[in-house]
Amino acid sequence: MSERKVALITGATRGIGKEIALELAQNGFDIAVNYRSMQEGMEDLKKEIEEYGVRCEFVGADVANFEQCESMVKETVEKFGKIDILVNNAGITKDGLIMRMKKEDFEAVIDINLIGTFNVTRNVIPYMIKQKSGRIINVSSVVGVAGNAGQTNYSASKAGIIGFTKSLAKEVASRNILVNAIAPGFIDTDMTKVLSDNVKEGINVQIPLRRMGSPKEVAKVVKFLASEDSSYITGQVINIDGGMVM
Ligand code: NAP
C-alpha cells in the first residue's frame, strides 16, 4: 500500500482536472488520472507528475457508465492499495435555450455530470468507510448556484451535485469522510474556449475581478480541501469565481 495519500481525479487529462492532478502531485499525493479517451500528451503528463517524486497511473472509465466506474475504482485500489481523495471533476456542457434543447442533450449532461459523480462516489465510498477516512471534492459551478440562461441542463446537473454533496457530507461525517463542493466561475479551459470574444467580454463585466480564472486558481482550492488544513470543513460549497456570485 502506498505510504503517500492517493488521489483519484476524474477527467484529469486536460483542463481543470489536469491542473488538480499536477497540484496534488506537487504536494506529495500519488495520482490516479481517470480518462475517457486516450489523449495526446498523456505520457508527458505522467512524466510531469512523476517528476514530483510521486506515482501516477492512468485509469480509464466513462463516468456515465456504472460498471466501468466499478472496474476503475477496483483497478485504482489494486494499483495503490487505497483511495484517500476523490475529485469528481469530469463534466461536459451541451448548451441551448429550453425551446430548442433536445431531450438527449439534457440527459447527456445529467448522465455525465451528476450521475457520473454518483457512479464514482458510490464505488469509492465503501473503501473510505472501511479505512475510516477520506475526502471527496465535487466540481460544481457558479451556474449550479445562480443559474444561467441557455444552460438548464448544466445548471440542473451542477445544482444536483450541491445537494448530493450536502447529503453525503451528513451521511458519512461520522466515518471521518469530508465531502465538499467547489463552484468555479469562468475558467480558461477548452470548455470556455468555444465562447466568442463578445460573450467573454460580457462575462468579464459581471466579474468584480474583471477576468476569467485559471485552472491553477481552482486547483489550489482543491489542494486545500484535500489537506489537513481543511479538517473542520464539510458540506460546503466554495465559490472560485472572482466575486461573480456573492
Ligand atoms: P474540459 O477542459 O472540457 O475537460 C473536461 C474533462 O472531463 C476532460 O478530461 C474530459 O475527457 C472529461 N470527461 C468528459 N466526459 C467524461 C466522461 N463521461 N467520463 C470521463 N471523463 C469525462 O473542462 P474543464 O473546464 O476542465 O471542466 C472540468 C470541470 O469543471 C467540469 O465538471 C466543469 O463542468 C467544471 N467547471 C468548469 C468551468 C469552466 O469555466 N471551465 C466552470 C465551472 C465548472 P475527454 O477528453 O475524454 O472528453
Side-chain angles (χ1 to χ4, degrees):
M1 187 182 302
S2 178
E3 293 200 342
R4 288 180 288 269
K5 293 248 159 108
V6 177
L8 167 61
I9 304 142
T10 66
T13 53
R14 58 195 173 94
I16 292 171
K18 177 179 174 181
E19 206 55 51
I20 292 170
L22 289 166
E23 181 66 27
L24 292 183
Q26 190 175 5
N27 283 275
F29 293 81
D30 281 342
I31 306 293
V33 171
N34 158 252
Y35 67 95
R36 173 177 57 169
S37 47
M38 298 298 273
Q39 310 263 333
E40 255 181 57
M42 273 171 67
E43 277 313 308
D44 292 343
L45 174 62
K46 185 173 164 68
K47 268 191 219 141
E48 232 183 304
I49 288 174
E50 287 171 348
E51 271 165 25
Y52 291 115
V54 298
R55 265 182 77 189
C56 173
E57 301 285 349
F58 290 107
V59 287
D62 176 343
V63 297
N65 182 309
F66 187 86
E67 285 73 30
Q68 287 184 27
C69 292
E70 193 174 18
S71 311
M72 170 182 73
V73 168
K74 267 194 196 141
E75 185 187 343
T76 308
V77 173
E78 270 162 26
K79 285 181 165 151
F80 293 96
K82 59 178 181 159
I83 299 171
D84 298 292
I85 318 289
L86 166 63
V87 184
N88 283 306
N89 165 78
I92 61 160
T93 51
K94 280 190 187 286
D95 299 349
L97 297 172
I98 191 82
M99 284 294 284
R100 274 186 243 134
M101 186 168 290
K102 293 193 201 104
K103 186 166 175 274
E104 302 86 83
D105 289 346
F106 197 92
E107 283 173 347
V109 169
I110 298 288
D111 277 352
I112 293 178
N113 297 6
L114 180 57
I115 301 182
T117 297
F118 166 79
N119 287 344
V120 185
T121 305
R122 173 66 185 81
N123 284 296
V124 167
I125 271 290
Y127 295 102
M128 288 185 171
I129 286 182
K130 210 169 160 204
Q131 75 201 18
K132 296 195 183 68
S133 71
R135 298 286 173 94
I136 297 175
I137 301 145
N138 295 323
V139 181
S140 178
S141 164
V142 285
V143 171
V145 178
N148 193 26
Q151 291 197 302
T152 50
N153 51 359
Y154 185 74
S155 172
S157 73
K158 294 299 186 179
I161 286 176
I162 292 174
F164 178 82
T165 299
K166 292 180 180 181
S167 296
L168 184 64
K170 289 186 176 177
E171 233 177 271
V172 297
S174 63
R175 311 300 178 101
N176 192 29
I177 302 168
L178 310 187
V179 190
N180 290 290
I182 55 167
F186 284 86
I187 310 299
D188 192 9
T189 68
D190 292 346
M191 189 174 269
T192 46
K193 275 198 177 69
V194 293
L195 302 172
S196 69
D197 286 347
N198 260 358
V199 171
K200 280 186 189 164
E201 269 167 40
I203 289 167
N204 281 348
V205 173
Q206 299 169 46
I207 305 172
L209 288 180
R210 291 285 183 272
R211 63 171 178 86
M212 291 178 106
S214 70
K216 194 59 154 182
E217 288 173 308
V218 177
K220 292 273 182 200
V221 179
V222 173
K223 181 204 69 186
F224 168 66
L225 290 173
S227 77
E228 274 315 301
D229 291 344
S230 61
S231 54
Y232 202 52
I233 300 178
T234 195
Q236 302 305 307
V237 184
I238 301 185
N239 289 16
I240 312 164
D241 63 357
M244 202 177 167
V245 174
M246 294 188 187

